[in-house]
Amino acid sequence: MSHATQRLLQALSLLDQVEQPDGSRALTALGFQLDEWLRFDAAIPLPDGGQWPERGHLLAAQPDRAWWLLPGARLLELRTGEAEPRVAPLLELDIDPAALAGFLRPQLLRWHLGAPLTELEDGDIPSVVNELVTAAFEASPAGRAAIFETLDQAMAPGAGWEQVALRLRAAFERGLGDRGEAVRRLSARALVRMATGQAPAGASGDPARLLDVLLHMPRDDVRQSALETLLQAPPDALMAVAGRLGPLLAEAMALPSGEIRRLAGLLQMRLEGRSDALAISEGLGSEDAEARAAAVARLQVEAQSNFDVLMPRLLEALEDPDPVLRQASLTVLQQQVDAAGSMVFRRVLLNLLASAEPRAVVHGAGLVQRRLPEGGPDLRADADLMAALRKALDEGPADARDSVALLWWQLHQMLDPDSQVEALRRLLQHADPVVRQVALRELMQSPLTAAAARDGLLKILVERLADPDPSLQLLTARAILAQGYPHADDIVAALAYDRSQALRQGAVQILRQAGAPAAERAESVARQADLLLDWQSADADTAAAARWFQALRAVQLPPSPRLPALLLAVLTELPAQAETAFQLTALDEIDALLSRLAADDTEWLGYCRRLMEPPHPAPGHAAHLAARRAADDPRSLHFLWACATAGSPEASRAARLALLTLAPSKLDDLVKAELAQLARGIEDPELRRLLARLLGRPPAG
C-alpha cells in the first residue's frame, strides 16, 4: 500500500473520530488539515447583495442561510435578514459533526486524487481505481461509502474503465453484503448501471444477470436502491433489459415492502408505456383531494386493465386516511384478486390480513376460507400466512376478529388432537370476548370428534366457566354438554352456586333443555342461593330467617367445591360488623362452615385474599377471617399486617381492629417471633402500641 493511500486512510479515520460523541480533539486536529484539503477559491455573496472580502469553500446552503469554510478552520454563517455575518473558529460553533464529516469525505478524496476521476487518462485509471478499491475495504463503512460513490459517479464507457470493470464489479458485489447501508445502496446503484450498459461491466457473462442478483437479495435497501436506479435510467438503457426485468418486477410487486412494490409497479408502467396507469398511480399518491378523487373514479373504471401494475398502489391505499379511497381500493381488490397470479394473490392476501381496515381483514379471511378444505395443507404450511393470521387475531381491528378466529379454527380443526387443542386454547384464552365466543359457538354447534381432543380441552373449558362475561359462562356450559363428557351435567351444575342470579337461572335452564339428571339438584341449589343472598329479608322477618338458616344447611349437601365461593359471596353482602342477632348468628355459622371446608391454612388464607378482590371487596370480612387463625398461623398474621400497613384506608382500619381482637396469651411462639420481627423499624405510634400490647411489652417511645 502506497504512502499516499496510507495518508488517505488516516484522514478518513480522523473524520470517523470527528463523528464520535467525544470527537472534540479530533475536530481540533481536523482544523489543521482543512487548509490542505480544501480550495478556498469561491466568491462569497452576502444576503444584502455585497461580497465577503475573503474567498471560501461552500459547506452547505439553505434558502435563508449558508455556511462557508474559510482558511484557518473558520466558519462563516450568513443569514437572511441579519446585518452582521457570524465568523468563528469551527470548534466554537454548534455544527453537526456527522454532517461535517459527510461533507468533507468527498473533498478529501478530491484532494487525494489531485484531479476528478472523470478527467484521468485511460492509462491512469487502472492504478488509481485499484488503489481506491484497496483503500475502500480498509476504511470504515462511512469511508467505504465515500469511495464507492466517487467510483460510481466516475464510471463511464472507455478503455481505462473497461480494464478495471471486473475488479469494480467484484468490489460492488462484495459491497452488497456490507454492514453499512450506504455501502449496500451505492453498490446496488453501481451494479444496475453496469447491468444496463451505462458503465462497463467486464466480459464475464451477461451483465444483465446482475439484476437477478440485486432483486433477489434478501435486503430491502438493496432492492429499493436497484429499483430507484432503474427508474432513473435512460429509456434505451432500460429497454435493453426489459425482457429480463418483466418476471423480476412481477416478483417484486409481491414482496412485503410497500415501497419496493410501489417502485416495481412504477417501473413496470414505464417499461410498458402505461401512461393511463401511471396517471392513476400519481393521482392516488397526490396530496390534492380533487386529484385523488379523480384517480379513484378512473381506478374503478379501468381497474381490470391496470390491476397488475396498480396493485401496489391499491394495497397502499388500504391504509389511506380517506375512507372513500380505502373503500374504492378494497372494492377493486375484491373484484380482481381471484384472477391474479399466485404471487400477487398471496401478497394481496397478506396485506389484507395486515390492514387496519376491518373490511379488508374480513375479506382476506374470506379469501382463505374459499380455498378450504382443498387448500388447507398448503395454507397451513405458509408460515407468513399463519403469522399474519396470528397478528390479525391478537393486534388486528377488533371488528374483524370474529372472522379471523373462525378461520383460525377452520384451518386447525382437521389436524391431530394436540393441534386442535392448542388452536382452541389460543381462542378460548384470548383477551377479546368476541374471539372466545366464536370458539365456544363452534364447539357447541360442531363438537369435537376425537376423544383425545375432547379430553385435552376439558380443563380449558372448565376454566372458562369462570369467564368474566356471564353470557360466555353460559355458552361454555352449552359447549361442555355438547362434547358429551362423563358427568358434564355435574360440571355445569356448579354454576348454580354463582353469586349472579341470572347465571344461576341460565345454568338451570340449560340443564333442563338438555334433559340432564343434575338439573333438579341445580335448581334446588339456585333456590337456596337466592335465599342466602337475600339476607335483608331474613334480617327483617323471623320466618324468613328460619328459611335462610335451613337453606344454609341444605346447600351443604351434597358437598361441592363451589360452595366456598357462594359462602364468600354471601359474606360480601353481609355487614362486616353485626348489628342484629340474625347477622351475628349468620356470620358465626358461615365462618364455622368455611373453617370446616378449608382443607388447610393455605386454603383458608385463599378465602381471605378472595374477599379482598374486586369487584366485591370486603376487607372487614377478610380481616375477620384472617384473625380467626392469626394466633396460630404466621401467614394469616402477615396478611393482616400487610392490610394494616399497606392496604386501602378501609382495609387498614379493618386489619388493625382485627389485630386488637388477638389475645396475647393465646399467641403461638412462632407468631410471637414473627410479631417481634415486625416490630423492628415501625414508626407508626398506633402500630407500635398495638405490637407492644400483643407482645406484652410496654410501648416504646
Short mmCIF file of all heavy atoms in Angstrom, two decimals, residues 213-264:
data_model
loop_
_atom_site.label_atom_id
_atom_site.label_comp_id
_atom_site.label_asym_id
_atom_site.label_seq_id
_atom_site.Cartn_x
_atom_site.Cartn_y
_atom_site.Cartn_z
N VAL A 213 -29.56 -10.94 -9.40
CA VAL A 213 -28.91 -10.95 -8.09
C VAL A 213 -29.47 -9.84 -7.20
O VAL A 213 -29.84 -10.06 -6.04
CB VAL A 213 -27.38 -10.78 -8.25
CG1 VAL A 213 -26.71 -10.65 -6.88
CG2 VAL A 213 -26.80 -11.95 -9.02
N LEU A 214 -29.56 -8.64 -7.77
CA LEU A 214 -29.98 -7.49 -6.98
C LEU A 214 -31.42 -7.61 -6.49
O LEU A 214 -31.72 -7.32 -5.32
CB LEU A 214 -29.82 -6.21 -7.81
CG LEU A 214 -28.38 -5.81 -8.12
CD1 LEU A 214 -28.36 -4.73 -9.19
CD2 LEU A 214 -27.69 -5.31 -6.86
N LEU A 215 -32.32 -8.02 -7.37
CA LEU A 215 -33.73 -8.05 -7.00
C LEU A 215 -34.12 -9.32 -6.24
O LEU A 215 -35.25 -9.44 -5.78
CB LEU A 215 -34.60 -7.88 -8.23
CG LEU A 215 -34.46 -6.49 -8.87
CD1 LEU A 215 -35.30 -6.39 -10.14
CD2 LEU A 215 -34.86 -5.39 -7.90
N HIS A 216 -33.16 -10.24 -6.09
CA HIS A 216 -33.40 -11.41 -5.24
C HIS A 216 -32.63 -11.31 -3.93
O HIS A 216 -32.70 -12.24 -3.11
CB HIS A 216 -33.01 -12.70 -5.97
CG HIS A 216 -34.00 -13.11 -7.02
ND1 HIS A 216 -33.64 -13.55 -8.28
CD2 HIS A 216 -35.35 -13.13 -7.01
CE1 HIS A 216 -34.72 -13.83 -8.98
NE2 HIS A 216 -35.77 -13.58 -8.23
N MET A 217 -31.92 -10.21 -3.72
CA MET A 217 -31.18 -10.04 -2.46
C MET A 217 -32.16 -9.96 -1.29
O MET A 217 -33.18 -9.28 -1.38
CB MET A 217 -30.35 -8.75 -2.49
CG MET A 217 -29.03 -8.88 -3.22
SD MET A 217 -27.81 -9.88 -2.32
CE MET A 217 -27.47 -8.83 -0.92
N PRO A 218 -31.86 -10.64 -0.19
CA PRO A 218 -32.78 -10.59 0.97
C PRO A 218 -32.61 -9.33 1.81
O PRO A 218 -32.68 -9.37 3.03
CB PRO A 218 -32.38 -11.84 1.76
CG PRO A 218 -30.93 -12.01 1.46
CD PRO A 218 -30.72 -11.54 0.05
N ARG A 219 -32.35 -8.21 1.14
CA ARG A 219 -32.22 -6.93 1.82
C ARG A 219 -33.08 -5.91 1.11
O ARG A 219 -32.86 -5.64 -0.08
CB ARG A 219 -30.77 -6.45 1.85
CG ARG A 219 -29.85 -7.22 2.78
CD ARG A 219 -28.47 -6.57 2.80
NE ARG A 219 -27.54 -7.26 3.66
CZ ARG A 219 -27.40 -7.03 4.97
NH1 ARG A 219 -28.17 -6.12 5.55
NH2 ARG A 219 -26.52 -7.68 5.69
N ASP A 220 -34.02 -5.31 1.80
CA ASP A 220 -34.90 -4.34 1.16
C ASP A 220 -34.15 -3.11 0.67
O ASP A 220 -34.51 -2.53 -0.35
CB ASP A 220 -36.00 -3.91 2.14
CG ASP A 220 -37.09 -4.96 2.30
OD1 ASP A 220 -37.10 -5.92 1.50
OD2 ASP A 220 -37.92 -4.83 3.22
N ASP A 221 -33.10 -2.67 1.40
CA ASP A 221 -32.40 -1.47 0.96
C ASP A 221 -31.69 -1.69 -0.38
O ASP A 221 -31.63 -0.79 -1.22
CB ASP A 221 -31.42 -0.98 2.02
CG ASP A 221 -30.50 -2.06 2.55
OD1 ASP A 221 -30.29 -3.08 1.87
OD2 ASP A 221 -29.97 -1.90 3.67
N VAL A 222 -31.17 -2.91 -0.60
CA VAL A 222 -30.52 -3.22 -1.87
C VAL A 222 -31.55 -3.21 -2.99
O VAL A 222 -31.35 -2.61 -4.05
CB VAL A 222 -29.80 -4.57 -1.79
CG1 VAL A 222 -29.35 -5.04 -3.18
CG2 VAL A 222 -28.61 -4.48 -0.86
N ARG A 223 -32.66 -3.91 -2.79
CA ARG A 223 -33.69 -3.97 -3.83
C ARG A 223 -34.26 -2.59 -4.12
O ARG A 223 -34.50 -2.23 -5.28
CB ARG A 223 -34.80 -4.94 -3.41
CG ARG A 223 -34.33 -6.38 -3.41
CD ARG A 223 -35.45 -7.36 -3.21
NE ARG A 223 -35.93 -7.39 -1.84
CZ ARG A 223 -36.28 -8.51 -1.19
NH1 ARG A 223 -36.20 -9.67 -1.80
NH2 ARG A 223 -36.73 -8.46 0.05
N GLN A 224 -34.49 -1.81 -3.06
CA GLN A 224 -35.05 -0.47 -3.26
C GLN A 224 -34.09 0.41 -4.04
O GLN A 224 -34.50 1.12 -4.97
CB GLN A 224 -35.35 0.16 -1.90
CG GLN A 224 -36.02 1.52 -2.00
CD GLN A 224 -36.41 2.07 -0.64
OE1 GLN A 224 -36.73 1.32 0.28
NE2 GLN A 224 -36.37 3.38 -0.50
N SER A 225 -32.80 0.37 -3.70
CA SER A 225 -31.83 1.18 -4.42
C SER A 225 -31.73 0.76 -5.89
O SER A 225 -31.62 1.60 -6.79
CB SER A 225 -30.45 1.06 -3.75
OG SER A 225 -29.49 1.84 -4.42
N ALA A 226 -31.80 -0.55 -6.13
CA ALA A 226 -31.75 -1.04 -7.52
C ALA A 226 -32.94 -0.53 -8.32
O ALA A 226 -32.79 -0.06 -9.46
CB ALA A 226 -31.71 -2.56 -7.52
N LEU A 227 -34.14 -0.59 -7.75
CA LEU A 227 -35.33 -0.13 -8.47
C LEU A 227 -35.29 1.38 -8.68
O LEU A 227 -35.68 1.88 -9.75
CB LEU A 227 -36.58 -0.53 -7.69
CG LEU A 227 -36.89 -2.03 -7.67
CD1 LEU A 227 -37.96 -2.35 -6.64
CD2 LEU A 227 -37.31 -2.52 -9.05
N GLU A 228 -34.83 2.14 -7.69
CA GLU A 228 -34.72 3.59 -7.85
C GLU A 228 -33.75 3.94 -8.97
O GLU A 228 -34.00 4.86 -9.77
CB GLU A 228 -34.26 4.22 -6.53
CG GLU A 228 -35.32 4.20 -5.44
CD GLU A 228 -34.78 4.59 -4.08
OE1 GLU A 228 -33.54 4.59 -3.92
OE2 GLU A 228 -35.59 4.86 -3.16
N THR A 229 -32.65 3.21 -9.05
CA THR A 229 -31.67 3.48 -10.11
C THR A 229 -32.22 3.11 -11.48
O THR A 229 -31.99 3.82 -12.47
CB THR A 229 -30.37 2.69 -9.82
OG1 THR A 229 -29.93 2.97 -8.49
CG2 THR A 229 -29.28 3.08 -10.80
N LEU A 230 -32.97 2.03 -11.55
CA LEU A 230 -33.60 1.64 -12.82
C LEU A 230 -34.60 2.70 -13.28
O LEU A 230 -34.69 3.01 -14.48
CB LEU A 230 -34.29 0.29 -12.67
CG LEU A 230 -33.37 -0.94 -12.64
CD1 LEU A 230 -34.10 -2.15 -12.12
CD2 LEU A 230 -32.80 -1.21 -14.04
N LEU A 231 -35.33 3.28 -12.36
CA LEU A 231 -36.29 4.31 -12.73
C LEU A 231 -35.60 5.57 -13.26
O LEU A 231 -36.19 6.34 -14.02
CB LEU A 231 -37.15 4.68 -11.51
CG LEU A 231 -38.29 3.70 -11.21
CD1 LEU A 231 -38.87 3.98 -9.82
CD2 LEU A 231 -39.39 3.81 -12.27
N GLN A 232 -34.35 5.78 -12.86
CA GLN A 232 -33.60 6.95 -13.33
C GLN A 232 -32.83 6.67 -14.61
O GLN A 232 -32.24 7.59 -15.18
CB GLN A 232 -32.62 7.39 -12.23
CG GLN A 232 -33.29 7.85 -10.95
CD GLN A 232 -32.32 7.91 -9.77
OE1 GLN A 232 -31.12 7.65 -9.93
NE2 GLN A 232 -32.84 8.24 -8.60
N ALA A 233 -32.84 5.42 -15.07
CA ALA A 233 -32.04 5.05 -16.25
C ALA A 233 -32.63 5.66 -17.52
O ALA A 233 -33.85 5.84 -17.63
CB ALA A 233 -32.00 3.53 -16.37
N PRO A 234 -31.78 5.97 -18.50
CA PRO A 234 -32.28 6.45 -19.79
C PRO A 234 -33.16 5.41 -20.46
O PRO A 234 -33.00 4.20 -20.22
CB PRO A 234 -30.99 6.68 -20.60
CG PRO A 234 -29.90 6.77 -19.59
CD PRO A 234 -30.32 5.91 -18.44
N PRO A 235 -34.12 5.82 -21.27
CA PRO A 235 -35.05 4.86 -21.88
C PRO A 235 -34.37 3.74 -22.64
O PRO A 235 -34.79 2.58 -22.53
CB PRO A 235 -35.88 5.74 -22.82
CG PRO A 235 -35.82 7.10 -22.20
CD PRO A 235 -34.46 7.21 -21.60
N ASP A 236 -33.32 4.05 -23.43
CA ASP A 236 -32.67 2.99 -24.20
C ASP A 236 -31.99 1.97 -23.30
O ASP A 236 -32.01 0.76 -23.57
CB ASP A 236 -31.66 3.59 -25.20
CG ASP A 236 -30.62 4.47 -24.51
OD1 ASP A 236 -30.86 4.89 -23.36
OD2 ASP A 236 -29.56 4.72 -25.11
N ALA A 237 -31.38 2.44 -22.20
CA ALA A 237 -30.74 1.50 -21.26
C ALA A 237 -31.78 0.62 -20.60
O ALA A 237 -31.57 -0.58 -20.40
CB ALA A 237 -29.96 2.28 -20.21
N LEU A 238 -32.93 1.20 -20.27
CA LEU A 238 -33.98 0.43 -19.61
C LEU A 238 -34.60 -0.59 -20.56
O LEU A 238 -34.83 -1.75 -20.18
CB LEU A 238 -35.05 1.39 -19.10
CG LEU A 238 -36.05 0.85 -18.08
CD1 LEU A 238 -35.34 0.28 -16.87
CD2 LEU A 238 -37.01 1.95 -17.66
N MET A 239 -34.86 -0.19 -21.78
CA MET A 239 -35.48 -1.11 -22.73
C MET A 239 -34.56 -2.27 -23.08
O MET A 239 -35.03 -3.35 -23.44
CB MET A 239 -35.89 -0.36 -23.99
CG MET A 239 -36.99 0.68 -23.75
SD MET A 239 -38.43 0.03 -22.85
CE MET A 239 -39.01 -1.21 -24.00
N ALA A 240 -33.26 -2.07 -22.94
CA ALA A 240 -32.31 -3.15 -23.27
C ALA A 240 -32.44 -4.33 -22.30
O ALA A 240 -32.06 -5.45 -22.64
CB ALA A 240 -30.89 -2.60 -23.24
N VAL A 241 -32.96 -4.08 -21.12
CA VAL A 241 -33.09 -5.17 -20.14
C VAL A 241 -34.56 -5.45 -19.82
O VAL A 241 -34.87 -6.14 -18.84
CB VAL A 241 -32.33 -4.82 -18.83
CG1 VAL A 241 -30.83 -4.78 -19.08
CG2 VAL A 241 -32.82 -3.50 -18.25
N ALA A 242 -35.48 -4.93 -20.65
CA ALA A 242 -36.92 -5.08 -20.37
C ALA A 242 -37.33 -6.54 -20.28
O ALA A 242 -38.13 -6.92 -19.41
CB ALA A 242 -37.73 -4.36 -21.43
N GLY A 243 -36.82 -7.38 -21.16
CA GLY A 243 -37.19 -8.79 -21.16
C GLY A 243 -36.82 -9.49 -19.87
O GLY A 243 -37.57 -10.33 -19.36
N ARG A 244 -35.66 -9.15 -19.33
CA ARG A 244 -35.23 -9.78 -18.08
C ARG A 244 -35.97 -9.19 -16.88
O ARG A 244 -36.23 -9.87 -15.90
CB ARG A 244 -33.72 -9.60 -17.90
CG ARG A 244 -33.16 -10.30 -16.66
CD ARG A 244 -31.67 -10.21 -16.61
NE ARG A 244 -31.05 -10.98 -17.67
CZ ARG A 244 -30.76 -12.29 -17.57
NH1 ARG A 244 -31.08 -12.96 -16.48
NH2 ARG A 244 -30.19 -12.92 -18.57
N LEU A 245 -36.34 -7.92 -16.98
CA LEU A 245 -36.98 -7.27 -15.84
C LEU A 245 -38.41 -7.73 -15.61
O LEU A 245 -38.90 -7.72 -14.48
CB LEU A 245 -36.98 -5.74 -16.05
CG LEU A 245 -35.74 -4.99 -15.61
CD1 LEU A 245 -35.87 -3.52 -15.96
CD2 LEU A 245 -35.51 -5.15 -14.11
N GLY A 246 -39.14 -8.11 -16.65
CA GLY A 246 -40.55 -8.45 -16.52
C GLY A 246 -40.86 -9.39 -15.38
O GLY A 246 -41.61 -9.03 -14.44
N PRO A 247 -40.32 -10.61 -15.38
CA PRO A 247 -40.64 -11.53 -14.28
C PRO A 247 -40.09 -11.08 -12.93
O PRO A 247 -40.68 -11.35 -11.88
CB PRO A 247 -39.98 -12.86 -14.72
CG PRO A 247 -39.00 -12.49 -15.78
CD PRO A 247 -39.52 -11.26 -16.44
N LEU A 248 -38.96 -10.35 -12.96
CA LEU A 248 -38.39 -9.86 -11.70
C LEU A 248 -39.31 -8.82 -11.06
O LEU A 248 -39.49 -8.80 -9.83
CB LEU A 248 -37.00 -9.25 -11.95
CG LEU A 248 -35.91 -10.21 -12.39
CD1 LEU A 248 -34.63 -9.44 -12.73
CD2 LEU A 248 -35.62 -11.25 -11.31
N LEU A 249 -39.90 -7.98 -11.88
CA LEU A 249 -40.80 -6.96 -11.34
C LEU A 249 -42.09 -7.59 -10.82
O LEU A 249 -42.67 -7.13 -9.83
CB LEU A 249 -41.11 -5.91 -12.41
CG LEU A 249 -39.93 -5.04 -12.84
CD1 LEU A 249 -40.35 -4.07 -13.94
CD2 LEU A 249 -39.35 -4.29 -11.65
N ALA A 250 -42.55 -8.63 -11.50
CA ALA A 250 -43.75 -9.33 -11.01
C ALA A 250 -43.51 -9.89 -9.62
O ALA A 250 -44.39 -9.82 -8.74
CB ALA A 250 -44.13 -10.43 -11.98
N GLU A 251 -42.32 -10.43 -9.40
CA GLU A 251 -41.98 -10.94 -8.07
C GLU A 251 -41.86 -9.79 -7.07
O GLU A 251 -42.33 -9.90 -5.93
CB GLU A 251 -40.66 -11.71 -8.12
CG GLU A 251 -40.72 -13.00 -8.92
CD GLU A 251 -39.36 -13.69 -8.96
OE1 GLU A 251 -38.50 -13.34 -8.14
OE2 GLU A 251 -39.18 -14.57 -9.82
N ALA A 252 -41.23 -8.70 -7.50
CA ALA A 252 -41.02 -7.56 -6.59
C ALA A 252 -42.35 -6.96 -6.15
O ALA A 252 -42.49 -6.49 -5.02
CB ALA A 252 -40.15 -6.50 -7.26
N MET A 253 -43.34 -6.98 -7.04
CA MET A 253 -44.64 -6.41 -6.69
C MET A 253 -45.40 -7.29 -5.69
O MET A 253 -46.45 -6.90 -5.19
CB MET A 253 -45.48 -6.19 -7.95
CG MET A 253 -45.08 -4.93 -8.71
SD MET A 253 -46.22 -4.49 -10.04
CE MET A 253 -45.73 -5.64 -11.31
N ALA A 254 -44.86 -8.46 -5.39
CA ALA A 254 -45.49 -9.34 -4.40
C ALA A 254 -44.69 -9.42 -3.10
O ALA A 254 -44.99 -10.23 -2.24
CB ALA A 254 -45.66 -10.74 -4.99
N LEU A 255 -43.68 -8.55 -2.95
CA LEU A 255 -42.85 -8.57 -1.75
C LEU A 255 -43.53 -7.84 -0.60
O LEU A 255 -44.43 -7.02 -0.81
CB LEU A 255 -41.49 -7.94 -2.06
CG LEU A 255 -40.58 -8.74 -2.98
CD1 LEU A 255 -39.35 -7.93 -3.37
CD2 LEU A 255 -40.16 -10.05 -2.33
N PRO A 256 -43.08 -8.10 0.64
CA PRO A 256 -43.72 -7.45 1.79
C PRO A 256 -43.56 -5.94 1.84
O PRO A 256 -44.44 -5.24 2.31
CB PRO A 256 -43.02 -8.11 3.00
CG PRO A 256 -42.49 -9.40 2.48
CD PRO A 256 -42.14 -9.16 1.05
N SER A 257 -42.43 -5.41 1.35
CA SER A 257 -42.17 -3.98 1.46
C SER A 257 -43.08 -3.18 0.52
O SER A 257 -43.04 -3.35 -0.69
CB SER A 257 -40.70 -3.67 1.13
OG SER A 257 -40.51 -2.30 0.92
N GLY A 258 -43.85 -2.27 1.10
CA GLY A 258 -44.73 -1.45 0.29
C GLY A 258 -43.98 -0.54 -0.67
O GLY A 258 -44.41 -0.31 -1.80
N GLU A 259 -42.83 -0.01 -0.23
CA GLU A 259 -42.05 0.88 -1.10
C GLU A 259 -41.47 0.13 -2.28
O GLU A 259 -41.47 0.63 -3.42
CB GLU A 259 -40.93 1.55 -0.29
CG GLU A 259 -40.08 2.53 -1.07
CD GLU A 259 -40.85 3.72 -1.62
OE1 GLU A 259 -42.03 3.92 -1.25
OE2 GLU A 259 -40.27 4.46 -2.45
N ILE A 260 -41.01 -1.08 -2.06
CA ILE A 260 -40.48 -1.89 -3.17
C ILE A 260 -41.60 -2.22 -4.15
O ILE A 260 -41.43 -2.15 -5.37
CB ILE A 260 -39.81 -3.17 -2.62
CG1 ILE A 260 -38.50 -2.80 -1.93
CG2 ILE A 260 -39.55 -4.17 -3.75
CD1 ILE A 260 -37.82 -3.94 -1.24
N ARG A 261 -42.77 -2.56 -3.63
CA ARG A 261 -43.90 -2.85 -4.53
C ARG A 261 -44.25 -1.61 -5.37
O ARG A 261 -44.51 -1.71 -6.57
CB ARG A 261 -45.12 -3.29 -3.72
CG ARG A 261 -44.97 -4.61 -3.01
CD ARG A 261 -46.33 -5.16 -2.57
NE ARG A 261 -47.06 -4.22 -1.74
CZ ARG A 261 -47.02 -4.20 -0.41
NH1 ARG A 261 -46.25 -5.06 0.24
NH2 ARG A 261 -47.73 -3.33 0.27
N ARG A 262 -44.25 -0.45 -4.72
CA ARG A 262 -44.60 0.79 -5.44
C ARG A 262 -43.59 1.07 -6.55
O ARG A 262 -43.96 1.39 -7.69
CB ARG A 262 -44.64 1.96 -4.46
CG ARG A 262 -45.10 3.28 -5.07
CD ARG A 262 -44.98 4.41 -4.08
NE ARG A 262 -43.59 4.74 -3.81
CZ ARG A 262 -42.86 5.52 -4.60
NH1 ARG A 262 -43.38 6.04 -5.70
NH2 ARG A 262 -41.61 5.79 -4.28
N LEU A 263 -42.30 0.96 -6.24
CA LEU A 263 -41.26 1.22 -7.24
C LEU A 263 -41.34 0.22 -8.39
O LEU A 263 -41.16 0.59 -9.56
CB LEU A 263 -39.88 1.17 -6.57
CG LEU A 263 -39.58 2.27 -5.56
CD1 LEU A 263 -38.29 1.96 -4.80
CD2 LEU A 263 -39.48 3.63 -6.24
N ALA A 264 -41.59 -1.05 -8.05
CA ALA A 264 -41.69 -2.07 -9.10
C ALA A 264 -42.87 -1.79 -10.02
O ALA A 264 -42.79 -1.94 -11.25
CB ALA A 264 -41.82 -3.46 -8.47
#
